[in-house]
Amino acid sequence: MDFQKIWGTIKSGVKVFWQWLKPYLIQFHHWRKRIWKKYYVNKILLLLGLVFVLVSSIYLYTLAKASNVSALKSGMTQTTKIYDAKGEEAGSIYANKGTYVELDQISPYIQDAVISTEDRNFYNHHGYDIKGIARAAVRMVTSGGTSGGGGSTITQQLAKNAFLSLDQTFQRKAKELFMAIEIEKKYSKEEILTMYLNNAYFGNGVWGVQDAARKYFGVDANQVTIGQAATIAGMLKGPSIYNPIDHPNYATDRRATVLSVMVENKKITQEEADQETKVDMASMVHDTYQNSSSDYRYPYYFDAVIDEAVNTYKLDEKDIMNNGYKIYTTLNQDYQKQMEATYQNEALFPPNAADGAMVQSASVALDPKTGGVVGLVGKRGEHVFRGFNFATQMRRSPGSTIKPLSVYAPALESGYKPDSVLKDEPQTYYDAKNYDGTYQGEVPMYQAVAQSLNLPAVWLLHEIGLQKGYDKAEEFGLSLSKSDNYWGLALGGLEHGESPLTMASAYSAFANGGKQYTPHLITKIVDSEGVVLVDNTKVKSKQVVSKDTADEMTSMLLGTFSNGTGVQANPYGYTVAGKTGTTETNFDATKANDQWIVGYTPDVVISTWMGFEESSADHYIEGTSGSVVGQVFKAQAEGILQYTNNTSFAVADAYQTGGQVVAADEVNNQEDSSDKWKEDVSDFGEKAKEGIKDFGGKVKDGLDKAGNKLKGFWNDLTGG
């Protein structure tokens, strides 16, 4: 760069600017002379300037203090871990950090090369370099903005990498400066250099000098040659451009530059630099780096944990990934493993569409007693880090699974009973029909629920009032739009729809005596120094419906799996309650866009959805919910329920009682009494048979005796 030429350009520009500004300054000077003394404008302007500087300094100082500089080192040396509901380690977060090594494990050549090129006054300043800032200011002026960068010390770069974004703005530069001062107060120069070298990025997914040495030269960081050290240091300026694997020519030129600077700073001799410059870069490259698994064991569950930390608790993803947090969750690893095993079984899912599109599905398992998500699978196919999660982010029409929420629960609250008779016939105010196209005229509520009949649901919503159904669905946590306030609300025809997580949460009220807890995955987050950042151990709950209403609803929903649309999905050996749901395509009522099934016991709620990512004339599902998505639900439930307490339902299946709400143990006792009566009748019959047999024997004996006497009397008369 020709500095004289640049300086001449600056002088010419300043001269032109001055000629333009001078007349205005003269006018301002005359105006100032007239009123200056009267209004003390000079003092006011000076005071305003000082106030601005003071306020800015206080803001930046406060920001630096709030950055938790004290946890910087511990965060770098520790990995963020996720713990399950039992407090056992479940895995670790995928982090942008490499193998952390102490300074004595890093070659002095690397240290000298980095200090020479990045911050030659590193050991003499207090986090900032006035000369460097001045040089950067000149570059900013000549480039017309902040894009020129530079002027940052190693401490400032560490602050930027650890706490700030990479954008080149005056605000970021100011924050960087104040944070660097705080870092210098807390750590020694050796600690700062160690953290910087372990936290720097070197391209090809490699962080830190130890992994960089392994990736590019096949040696540890304490074994590199001078030339290799210069190459590693050179990559800091642009890891994607100057790494020797992708761009060996650029890396060679950059190495020569670093070596010359090291000579200038008297870290090596010219002879050493010349010798290293002659070494062919390609001949040095040897990749022995092995990316240690991050143990991202349950990818979709962990994705949802990060999403909740970012969206609900406003934590920064970068901090979560890199600062060595301990994240405690509601995860049940036994449940999660069973769910993931189900989703690995391709035989449970329909084949791909003709164009290769995969049928998607997602499931959530939730503890109704706490609202904690105990298991979650967000998608089929290849996992993409924090990609779209159907279990938590999807919004699709829930179909008939909405009926208990928007129709039957509010109807029960309005005085209806499971054995109440409903109209099962077409209505003039809304065009609807049952799945099979038939209707019966009248049907008891518990059968309408189990058989998922549409016409009785629409009629009943009309009877109790549309607004009552709409309000109750919102109480259950459904995110309805104003356009959803119509009769189609009875059948799940929503503008946007819901996720499996939302539906699992809604049904948890039926499983938990009408009480619903806020659904969540995180219970606590602790930073690397033990400071509690998030405490969600006391989760809020609300009484959505009464216990009596929840019991009445459960008695009907048990019929779904015993006599209704979910018979094929009933997990073998277990009793569950719940509801199926389907949304039809707009071209064929026998084909579905979405299939749902939500099932529960007092211990767990499982919500499963299936459908294509984009529904179309070529992307649809054939078959009923019970026979298609129901098989995924069934497999999961059979796997999960074996690990639960197998808590029994408090009420009996309405099909057993003709719609009467009866305690489960009473029905069992009645069954036992009936069996005893049968045994008593059998015993009585046997005893009666024995009595008759005994009576007949006695009669026979009596007749024999009488016959013998008559026979003797006759012989006496005849002399025989």
Side-chain angles (χ1 to χ4, degrees):
M1 179 181 293
D2 190 342
F3 186 78
Q4 293 296 330
K5 185 176 181 181
I6 293 174
W7 181 246
T9 303
I10 294 174
K11 288 174 65 176
S12 299
V14 170
K15 185 176 181 180
V16 172
F17 178 72
W18 174 252
Q19 290 175 348
W20 171 82
L21 183 63
K22 187 175 180 180
Y24 295 101
L25 289 176
I26 293 173
Q27 293 178 18
F28 178 75
H29 177 65
H30 291 313
W31 173 81
R32 183 187 63 82
K33 285 177 68 176
R34 290 195 301 269
I35 63 172
W36 213 251
K37 292 182 179 179
K38 183 176 181 179
Y39 295 105
Y40 301 100
V41 176
N42 267 345
K43 294 180 180 178
I44 293 173
L45 291 176
L46 180 60
L47 179 61
L48 290 176
L50 292 174
V51 169
F52 174 77
V53 172
L54 178 62
V55 171
S56 300
S57 299
I58 292 174
Y59 164 72
L60 293 170
Y61 176 77
T62 303
L63 184 69
K65 284 290 187 181
S67 298
N68 198 17
V69 168
S70 62
L72 179 59
K73 184 176 180 180
S74 58
M76 288 185 181
T77 57
Q78 298 178 32
T79 302
T80 296
K81 300 287 185 181
I82 292 183
Y83 298 87
D84 66 12
K86 298 178 181 178
E88 298 176 357
E89 187 177 316
S92 58
I93 293 288
Y94 184 90
N96 291 335
K97 59 172 62 179
T99 305
Y100 195 95
V101 291
E102 295 297 337
L103 196 61
D104 60 4
Q105 296 175 281
I106 300 174
S107 169
Y109 296 143
I110 294 179
Q111 300 176 44
D112 290 340
V114 169
I115 291 174
S116 296
T117 54
E118 299 297 313
D119 185 5
R120 65 181 63 185
N121 294 318
F122 173 68
Y123 284 104
N124 300 317
H125 61 62
H126 298 288
Y128 58 93
D129 185 354
I130 297 298
K131 292 182 179 179
I133 293 174
R135 288 194 299 270
V138 171
R139 283 194 291 269
M140 289 177 187
V141 171
T142 57
S143 62
T146 60
S147 59
S152 293
T153 64
I154 284 177
T155 313
Q156 286 177 267
Q157 292 183 56
L158 175 62
K160 176 185 67 177
N161 294 340
F163 299 113
L164 303 172
S165 63
L166 300 180
D167 57 308
Q168 295 284 351
T169 63
F170 287 109
Q171 184 183 21
R172 198 271 289 164
K173 284 285 187 182
K175 291 178 182 178
E176 177 186 295
L177 175 62
F178 275 75
M179 288 181 180
I181 294 172
E182 288 299 311
I183 291 173
E184 289 275 347
K185 290 179 182 178
K186 174 67 179 177
Y187 300 102
S188 68
K189 289 291 185 179
E190 289 73 18
E191 289 176 314
I192 293 171
L193 182 59
T194 303
M195 288 188 285
Y196 175 71
L197 293 175
N198 278 285
N199 195 47
Y201 183 59
F202 291 94
N204 288 303
V206 172
W207 298 77
V209 291
Q210 169 63 19
D211 289 347
R214 278 285 171 193
K215 178 69 178 177
Y216 298 112
F217 306 117
V219 296
D220 291 324
N222 61 354
Q223 298 174 326
V224 296
T225 64
I226 296 175
Q228 291 169 344
T231 305
I232 290 173
M235 281 186 270
L236 292 170
K237 185 177 179 64
S240 62
I241 300 175
Y242 296 117
N243 78 77
I245 290 179
D246 299 324
H247 301 286
N249 292 334
Y250 293 157
T252 300
D253 294 341
R254 181 62 182 161
R255 178 186 62 183
T257 300
V258 174
L259 289 171
S260 66
V261 174
M262 293 178 71
V263 171
E264 182 182 335
N265 291 337
K266 297 181 171 53
K267 299 299 181 182
I268 59 174
T269 64
Q270 185 62 55
E271 291 74 14
E272 288 175 317
D274 293 340
Q275 183 178 353
E276 294 294 337
T277 303
K278 296 176 183 177
V279 178
D280 179 57
M281 182 65 71
S283 67
M284 289 197 303
V285 173
H286 180 48
D287 184 0
T288 61
Y289 170 66
Q290 292 183 344
N291 186 10
S292 57
S293 173
S294 61
D295 198 21
Y296 205 67
R297 199 174 304 167
Y298 309 117
Y300 290 105
Y301 193 98
F302 288 2
D303 281 357
V305 168
I306 298 173
D307 289 344
E308 187 172 295
V310 171
N311 299 327
T312 303
Y313 300 111
K314 308 306 177 185
L315 298 180
D316 186 85
E317 179 190 301
K318 184 179 179 182
D319 294 339
I320 297 168
M321 303 287 282
N322 294 295
N323 287 0
Y325 291 164
K326 292 181 179 179
I327 305 178
Y328 295 89
T329 72
T330 57
L331 173 67
N332 184 305
Q333 294 194 65
D334 290 326
Y335 295 6
Q336 183 68 29
K337 289 173 183 176
Q338 294 299 321
M339 295 176 73
E340 295 199 357
T342 297
Y343 273 78
Q344 292 298 318
N345 186 354
E346 299 291 336
L348 294 172
F349 297 88
N352 295 346
D355 62 359
M358 177 182 287
V359 177
Q360 276 302 334
S361 181
S363 288
V364 168
L366 183 142
D367 182 351
K369 296 181 181 65
T370 65
V373 176
V374 289
L376 181 152
V377 177
K379 192 178 181 182
R380 294 181 68 210
E382 183 179 356
H383 171 257
V384 176
F385 176 68
R386 289 194 75 190
F388 189 77
N389 193 321
F390 286 95
T392 59
Q393 298 172 328
M394 178 192 80
R395 296 192 66 184
R396 301 283 277 263
S397 172
S400 292
T401 58
I402 202 176
K403 292 175 181 176
L405 312 175
S406 63
V407 179
Y408 294 115
L412 293 172
E413 290 183 326
S414 299
Y416 283 85
K417 296 296 179 183
D419 61 350
S420 295
V421 176
L422 313 180
K423 289 289 183 65
D424 181 21
E425 57 188 22
Q427 304 297 319
T428 57
Y429 47 82
Y430 187 68
D431 184 20
K433 63 181 180 179
N434 294 328
Y435 178 75
D436 60 3
T438 66
Y439 54 91
Q440 306 170 50
E442 291 183 340
V443 63
M445 185 192 294
Y446 72 91
Q447 290 186 15
V449 171
Q451 300 298 329
S452 197
L453 301 179
N454 293 332
L455 295 175
V458 174
W459 177 84
L460 186 57
L461 180 60
H462 186 269
E463 291 297 304
I464 64 173
L466 178 57
Q467 192 62 44
K468 181 173 289 187
Y470 182 92
D471 292 343
K472 180 54 67 174
E474 284 196 318
E475 280 189 61
F476 277 106
L478 271 59
S479 50
L480 303 180
S481 303
K482 291 183 179 180
S483 60
D484 297 328
N485 199 4
Y486 77 116
W487 302 118
L489 177 67
L491 310 179
L494 307 183
E495 180 180 357
H496 299 297
E498 306 299 339
S499 68
L501 176 61
T502 303
M503 298 307 293
S505 175
Y507 273 73
S508 69
F510 300 138
N512 192 41
K515 183 181 290 186
Q516 181 186 23
Y517 285 88
T518 303
H520 62 283
L521 293 87
I522 296 171
T523 57
K524 188 166 62 173
I525 299 179
V526 181
D527 74 8
S528 58
E529 291 198 325
V531 177
V532 177
L533 304 178
V534 172
D535 187 350
N536 189 38
T537 51
K538 296 180 180 179
V539 186
K540 295 180 180 180
S541 66
K542 59 181 179 179
Q543 195 75 32
V544 183
V545 294
S546 67
K547 184 179 184 304
D548 289 342
T549 298
D551 287 343
E552 290 173 330
M553 196 71 247
T554 293
S555 72
M556 295 191 291
L557 293 175
L558 283 164
T560 297
F561 291 94
S562 65
N563 293 271
T565 55
V567 170
Q568 291 176 280
N570 189 44
Y572 180 76
Y574 299 99
T575 301
V576 296
K579 189 74 185 69
T580 62
T582 303
T583 62
E584 302 171 356
T585 64
N586 56 10
F587 58 87
D588 188 340
T590 65
K591 295 177 173 60
N593 290 326
D594 305 279
Q595 288 189 349
W596 291 81
I597 189 163
V598 185
Y600 65 90
T601 72
D603 300 315
V604 65
V605 183
I606 304 171
S607 174
T608 303
W609 164 86
M610 181 182 289
F612 281 94
E613 188 166 355
E614 295 183 6
S615 300
S616 69
D618 298 320
H619 299 160
Y620 56 82
I621 301 175
E622 295 183 281
T624 64
S625 294
S627 62
V628 185
V629 71
Q631 299 311 298
V632 178
F633 170 86
K634 174 179 164 66
Q636 290 179 104
E638 289 176 350
I640 289 173
L641 291 174
Q642 64 179 311
Y643 293 103
T644 68
N645 294 327
N646 289 319
T647 306
S648 300
F649 285 101
V651 293
D653 186 337
Y655 266 89
Q656 291 180 285
T657 64
Q660 298 296 312
V661 180
V662 179
D665 55 356
E666 289 183 20
V667 172
N668 292 335
N669 289 338
Q670 289 175 5
E671 291 176 352
D672 293 343
S673 298
S674 175
D675 292 340
K676 188 175 185 302
W677 178 83
K678 292 177 182 178
E679 292 175 2
D680 291 344
V681 170
S682 178
D683 291 343
F684 176 80
E686 292 298 325
K687 290 179 180 179
K689 289 179 182 179
E690 292 177 2
I692 293 173
K693 183 177 179 181
D694 291 341
F695 177 76
K698 291 179 179 179
V699 170
K700 183 180 179 182
D701 290 341
L703 289 174
D704 288 341
K705 290 179 180 179
N708 290 333
K709 289 181 179 181
L710 287 173
K711 185 177 180 181
F713 179 72
W714 175 257
N715 289 335
D716 290 340
L717 288 176
T718 59

